[in-house]
């Protein structure tokens, strides 16, 4: 493992055990309506920005999730309708950049919208939060700096459901803070994985961190059993 994304690092930061289940043991994580809705609205917005009509963009959004009937079509329509007018720029911009000078660890991601030194990430969440509550946009701003050399990048989260944004202008020092966050976590993960390979106890190296997020965790049962049932624990270790 040498390539990380913000979501992967963030999952590890929140709960190393969940990260281990998801990315190392590759236990199945079932998808649900919020994820499908997010995928559909991102595709619909992308199509709208490149010039598709509203209806065509909606259809493309639904096609991206194989017309999954559990996703409320009216909700998708509502979210797309809340897209700000006259949005322009490069959509779904992929990047993969070295996080360290040695070029051995990489960060990859997709930037929803980039227009010069401004980037936007669309959110279909039911709660608003600050752009600096996570390192996501700081990291994406760092990526834009690396790619285009902008000294400052305005990054924003746009909450479609509320037509509200949270924005911040990142400079070299705040971009660097985000990069350091990512690099430190990536290095920590690699060191722990090497320790596991050398016979270290993965349960101890990737501890469970209980929080309100446990109620949505697809691995809650495995997590509970791994701590109380040595047979399940052994089974998981052998996976
Ligand atoms: S149930 Fe909670 S503590 Fe256990 S893996 Fe999931 S998020 Fe972590």
């Amino acid at each position: 493992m040498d390539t990380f994304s913000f979501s992967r690092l963030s999952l590890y930061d929140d709960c190393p055990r969940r990260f281990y289940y998801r990315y190392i043991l590759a236990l199945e994580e079932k998808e649900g309506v919020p994820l499908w809705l997010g995928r559909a609205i991102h595709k619909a917005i992308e199509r709208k920005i490149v010039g598709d009509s509203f209806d065509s963009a909606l259809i493309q959004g639904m096609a991206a999730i194989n017309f999954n009937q559990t996703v409320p079509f009216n909700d998708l329509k509502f979210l797309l309708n809340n897209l700000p007018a006259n949005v322009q720029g490069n959509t779904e911009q992929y990047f993969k950049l070295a996080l360290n000078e040695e070029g051995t660890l990489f960060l990859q991601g997709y930037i929803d919208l980039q227009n010069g030194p401004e980037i936007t990430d669309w959110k279909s969440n039911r709660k608003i939060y600050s752009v600096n509550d996570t390192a996501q946009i700081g990291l994406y701003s760092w990526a834009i700096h690396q790619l285009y050399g902008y000294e400052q990048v305005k990054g924003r989260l746009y909450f479609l459901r509320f037509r509200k944004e949270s924005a911040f202008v990142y400079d070299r020092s705040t971009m660097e803070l985000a990069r350091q966050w990512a690099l430190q976590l990536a290095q920590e993960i690699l060191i722990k994985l090497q320790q596991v390979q050398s016979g270290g106890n993965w349960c101890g190296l990737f501890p469970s961190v209980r929080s309100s997020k446990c109620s949505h965790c697809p691995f809650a049962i495995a997590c509970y059993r791994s701590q109380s049932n040595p047979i399940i624990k052994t089974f998981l270790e052998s996976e």
Side-chain angles (χ1 to χ4, degrees):
M1 179 181 286
D2 64 359
T3 303
F4 298 84
S5 63
F6 163 74
S7 59
R8 191 173 285 209
L9 293 169
S10 181
L11 192 67
Y12 173 81
D13 205 20
D14 284 344
C15 178
R17 178 67 55 84
R18 184 169 174 176
F19 168 89
Y20 197 82
Y21 285 141
R22 174 79 176 80
Y23 293 109
I24 308 304
L25 295 183
L27 298 188
E28 186 185 2
E29 183 161 355
K30 285 187 181 153
E31 297 184 339
V33 171
L35 196 77
W36 293 323
L37 180 63
R39 194 175 295 156
I41 189 61
H42 276 76
K43 175 53 76 178
I45 289 173
E46 182 189 345
R47 296 311 310 169
K48 184 82 172 50
I49 291 174
V50 298
D52 283 12
S53 68
F54 186 88
D55 288 346
S56 173
L58 270 182
I59 299 295
Q60 293 292 327
M62 287 303 287
I65 53 169
N66 295 321
F67 296 93
N68 188 319
Q69 296 299 306
T70 58
V71 174
F73 183 72
N74 282 341
D75 204 21
L76 181 63
K77 197 171 172 182
F78 168 72
L79 293 174
L80 187 61
N81 197 41
N82 284 351
L83 185 69
N86 303 319
V87 176
Q88 293 179 332
N90 303 319
T91 60
E92 297 297 321
Q93 190 172 357
Y94 175 76
F95 69 86
K96 181 175 176 180
L97 295 164
L99 272 172
N100 56 354
E101 285 183 7
E102 299 81 9
T104 54
L105 291 170
F106 299 89
L107 181 78
Q108 69 177 359
Y110 286 90
I111 297 172
D112 289 347
L113 181 70
Q114 180 248 333
N115 192 354
E118 294 192 7
I119 58 172
T120 302
D121 196 81
W122 310 113
K123 296 293 180 194
S124 53
N125 300 40
R126 294 180 185 277
K127 279 188 184 164
I128 293 176
Y129 58 90
S130 167
V131 68
N132 280 322
D133 282 352
T134 78
Q136 181 190 11
I137 303 303
L139 278 175
Y140 290 5
S141 296
W142 168 77
I144 290 299
H145 163 72
Q146 293 293 110
L147 291 171
Y148 301 107
Y150 295 119
E151 291 296 311
Q152 292 192 326
V153 175
K154 182 179 180 183
R156 69 172 179 164
L157 300 175
Y158 190 85
F159 295 89
L160 294 156
R161 209 168 281 284
F162 307 93
R163 288 187 169 171
K164 289 207 163 135
E165 70 172 42
S166 174
F168 185 78
V169 177
Y170 294 87
D171 59 17
R172 294 291 297 276
S173 69
T174 44
M175 291 175 199
E176 177 60 14
L177 280 177
R179 185 189 72 87
Q180 286 290 343
W181 173 85
L183 180 58
Q184 281 171 13
L185 289 182
Q187 288 172 329
E188 188 177 306
I189 290 167
L190 285 192
I191 289 169
K192 288 185 178 184
L193 288 176
Q194 284 165 0
Q195 290 173 339
V196 171
Q197 278 184 340
S198 305
N201 180 340
W202 70 268
C203 276
L205 289 163
F206 292 85
S208 55
V209 176
R210 298 188 181 192
S211 70
S212 58
K213 293 179 181 174
C214 293
S215 59
H216 307 296
C217 178
F219 312 124
I221 293 174
C223 175
Y224 170 75
R225 287 176 175 165
S226 72
Q227 294 170 69
S228 58
N229 186 332
I231 295 173
I232 297 289
K233 186 175 156 190
T234 304
F235 166 74
L236 287 168
E237 282 176 332
S238 67
E239 284 291 294

